Amino acid sequence: MKLVVANVCGILGFVRFTKGCYISLVTGRKPVALLGGHYVYHVEDTRLLSIAFRPERSDAEERCITRFKNVDLTKNFYYSHTYDITHTLQHNVDMGTVRGGSERTYHSMFVWNYQLICNATQGVGLGAEWTIALIHGYADQSKLSIYGRDVYITLIARRSRVFAGVRYLKRGVNDAGYVANDVETEQIVNMMEVTSFDMPAGRPFSNPSYTAYVQHRGSIPLFWSQETAGIAPKPPIEINVRDPYFVEAGRHFDRLFGRYGTPVIVLNLIKTKERAKRESALGEEFSEGLRYLNQFLPRGRKIRYLAWDMSRAKKNRQDDVLAILEVIAEETLTLTGYFHNGAELYANYTKRRRAGDARAQRTAVRRQTGIVRSNCIDCLDRTNAAQSIIGKVALAHQLFELGQIAQPILSFNTDAAMIIEEMYHDLGNTIALQYGGSHLVNTVQTYRRSTNWRSHSRDIVESLRRYYSNSLLDMERQEAIT
């Protein structure tokens, strides 16, 4: 017998084109994070092999194979054999506590090889436990040392496979209520005195050293598009269908309620005043849609809406964009909270008491209920800068919850703040390349008051790269994704 493949790391599933059937394999991997003793891997190499004894090839078959391989599975695809990275830590802890960790149900919205797995389980009869679920987006982990104690920060960004695509070819919402560039970002902060999620002689998933915060980005849930046939770097925005009942937007927010609970806080960062209406026209329609939908929601479940022209604030010398974002972040964090898998530390409780807070010490797990949904036009530059600051504020609270800092406040010049900013910068660049074809044009550095000419020149270069990618390469990338 001839050995065909060595060092197989996992089975992605099966696919059939015009002739024969193929198995997709992961043959190379690299660990990028360790969560509760479970490794998260980045896909480094894959193989597509025919399972036919004598495979037949035709021109149509070769074209299908080439198109399939246009989605490079070695770029920003991640998996874990033993941890469900398609769900949040809060969800996994809840399911692990109830079911003892014996059962996993993947979130199909974030499983990019979903169809290949279905072909394996339904077509070939292979058990689901033989396959691995891939997420697409970003995953990384950094170590922070605080007075000799190691704290680990993990960022996981999950891109939705539903209504996925590239910038100008996927905008707005589809009929089912799924939006373009839908990304769930989870920020996990933990200590590793005990590596496992389980404490010795304790119940499963009882380690109190884990905290998590989740936020969301996604295109404005209306039917809108931009025509790219011309040479304009900023094509006009067209609202293709004006639905007076905002049915699809309602479906979108209903899914957010189901996934995250309430409140859902919409942070809309697009322009509100323009000489020729582009973004502002879309913003007005979005605002009208939210007003309409809120008529039918009970008082405690209404969608909270905050529209803030981030571009205009950057041009106003009196506005400190990052300081304003910090205020917004504190307010939203107060409303949604964050996840902590344990009781409140007694030291933090006594600090609250001295500050006049008469609430009793929290003895149960703290849960995040609700989500901040951020967007600009592309959900890239302004959105990522805003999520970076929200993440920084959340990190302060997470470190405080774990007893690592005296107050839930981080200044920008601390190691922790610089690490989280760099991680969000890498995350933003990755998502921007996947959706827009270039790195971020505007970063957190762009919105600092001390922005220099080098940052400005880099922004111009990235704008040109993004325009080139959108004009010449997007159609090929979209065909591969769909």
Side-chain angles (χ1 to χ4, degrees):
M1 179 182 290
K2 183 180 178 181
L3 183 63
V4 179
V5 178
N7 299 323
V8 174
C9 305
I11 299 174
L12 297 177
F14 291 80
V15 60
R16 185 183 182 93
F17 302 119
T18 61
K19 295 179 181 291
C21 188
Y22 300 81
I23 183 172
S24 182
L25 303 170
V26 174
T27 55
R29 67 184 185 184
K30 181 179 72 174
V32 294
L34 180 65
L35 290 171
H38 306 273
Y39 279 103
V40 177
Y41 296 100
H42 177 262
V43 176
E44 295 290 307
D45 196 15
T46 62
R47 291 282 299 274
L48 184 68
L49 299 176
S50 173
I51 61 174
F53 179 66
R54 291 181 178 176
E56 298 180 41
R57 291 292 179 93
S58 64
D59 291 342
E61 185 83 352
E62 292 293 345
R63 284 195 297 271
C64 290
I65 292 173
T66 300
R67 184 174 297 175
F68 180 83
K69 291 182 178 180
N70 277 340
V71 175
D72 190 350
L73 296 178
T74 65
K75 290 185 177 179
N76 313 123
F77 283 89
Y78 305 87
Y79 74 94
S80 175
H81 291 288
T82 54
Y83 178 73
D84 182 4
I85 59 172
T86 69
H87 279 113
T88 64
L89 175 62
Q90 178 171 305
H91 176 275
N92 289 336
V93 169
D94 287 345
M95 294 301 100
T97 301
V98 172
R99 301 173 182 166
S102 61
E103 183 179 340
R104 285 187 298 169
T105 304
Y106 293 124
H107 196 321
S108 62
M109 180 177 174
F110 298 118
V111 180
W112 277 65
N113 59 327
Y114 178 77
Q115 189 57 55
L116 274 69
I117 293 176
C118 288
N119 293 342
T121 56
Q122 300 170 17
V124 181
L126 197 68
E129 66 273 10
W130 285 90
T131 62
I132 56 176
L134 287 186
I135 67 165
H136 185 38
Y138 176 87
D140 195 18
Q141 188 174 67
S142 295
K143 183 173 72 172
L144 172 68
S145 181
I146 302 178
Y147 299 116
R149 302 184 72 184
D150 291 338
V151 178
Y152 291 83
I153 304 170
T154 308
L155 274 189
I156 300 175
R158 308 173 181 93
R159 288 192 70 195
S160 171
R161 67 175 178 86
V162 186
F163 203 51
V166 293
R167 188 187 184 197
Y168 286 130
L169 301 180
K170 289 292 182 181
R171 294 291 215 191
V173 69
N174 68 3
D175 293 336
Y178 292 98
V179 295
N181 203 19
D182 187 313
V183 183
E184 175 185 271
T185 300
E186 182 176 22
Q187 177 177 309
I188 300 171
V189 180
N190 68 283
M191 302 175 67
M192 285 200 188
E193 277 84 356
V194 176
T195 304
S196 173
F197 286 129
D198 306 336
M199 289 297 287
R203 60 181 175 80
F205 287 86
S206 58
N207 189 340
S209 297
Y210 282 85
T211 67
Y213 177 73
V214 180
Q215 48 185 323
H216 176 272
R217 73 173 77 185
S219 189
I220 293 176
L222 302 172
F223 289 109
W224 62 281
S225 63
Q226 288 179 278
E227 179 57 53
T228 59
I231 60 172
K234 290 186 177 182
I237 294 173
E238 298 179 7
I239 301 177
N240 307 108
V241 178
R242 294 181 184 270
D243 178 8
Y245 303 107
F246 298 95
V247 174
E248 288 72 22
R251 288 172 178 160
H252 171 68
F253 284 104
D254 189 54
R255 282 198 175 88
L256 292 184
F257 286 136
R259 282 160 60 186
Y260 305 113
T262 57
V264 171
I265 305 164
V266 176
L267 177 57
N268 186 7
L269 304 169
I270 66 176
K271 297 175 181 177
T272 57
K273 293 184 179 180
E274 301 170 289
R275 292 180 181 177
K277 283 192 173 184
R278 289 180 66 255
E279 296 185 14
S280 56
L282 193 60
E284 290 170 2
E285 185 75 4
F286 189 24
S287 177
E288 177 61 29
L290 292 177
R291 279 196 294 270
Y292 178 83
L293 294 175
N294 272 334
Q295 294 179 99
F296 307 101
L297 293 173
R299 184 180 297 272
R301 291 177 59 88
K302 293 186 185 296
I303 303 165
R304 297 171 183 259
Y305 182 59
L306 174 59
W308 179 51
D309 190 336
M310 192 168 171
S311 297
R312 189 178 183 86
K314 185 184 74 170
K315 297 174 183 177
N316 188 345
R317 294 182 178 179
Q318 295 181 344
D319 288 340
D320 186 338
V321 173
L322 302 187
I324 294 171
L325 284 172
E326 283 191 301
V327 173
I328 293 172
E330 288 286 359
E331 292 177 351
T332 56
L333 202 65
T334 300
L335 293 170
T336 66
Y338 50 89
F339 173 69
H340 176 219
N341 193 37
E344 181 182 21
L345 294 177
Y346 183 75
N348 292 348
Y349 165 66
T350 56
K351 289 176 183 177
R352 282 199 299 105
R353 295 284 293 182
R354 286 197 296 267
D357 189 339
R359 290 176 298 169
Q361 182 182 4
R362 177 175 55 82
T363 57
V365 169
R366 175 173 186 162
R367 286 177 169 80
Q368 178 177 343
T369 55
I371 196 77
V372 178
R373 183 201 189 279
S374 305
N375 73 265
C376 48
I377 286 297
D378 300 321
C379 301
L380 296 177
D381 304 329
R382 286 169 284 183
T383 297
N384 200 74
Q387 288 200 337
S388 177
I389 300 304
I390 294 172
K392 168 187 167 293
V393 171
L395 175 61
H397 285 268
Q398 289 172 283
L399 292 174
F400 177 74
E401 194 73 48
L402 295 175
Q404 299 307 299
I405 56 177
Q407 297 294 331
I409 299 170
L410 282 178
S411 63
F412 282 99
N413 60 355
T414 58
D415 289 344
M418 288 187 281
I419 287 174
I420 198 68
E421 181 181 322
E422 184 64 28
M423 293 180 75
Y424 271 96
H425 178 79
D426 291 343
L427 182 155
N429 274 335
T430 302
I431 300 299
L433 283 167
Q434 293 165 6
Y435 183 63
S438 75
H439 291 96
L440 291 171
V441 175
N442 296 309
T443 66
V444 170
Q445 186 64 31
T446 307
Y447 295 97
R448 296 191 193 280
R449 286 185 168 181
S450 58
T451 299
N452 56 36
W453 63 271
R454 289 184 180 179
S455 175
H456 182 65
S457 62
R458 187 197 62 80
D459 294 348
I460 294 173
V461 170
E462 291 302 334
S463 294
L464 293 173
R465 285 179 179 169
R466 184 173 294 178
Y467 174 66
Y468 164 77
S469 175
N470 298 151
S471 301
L472 303 179
L473 305 178
D474 274 2
M475 188 61 70
E476 181 179 320
R477 293 166 62 211
Q478 186 64 52
E479 286 182 354
I481 292 173
T482 55

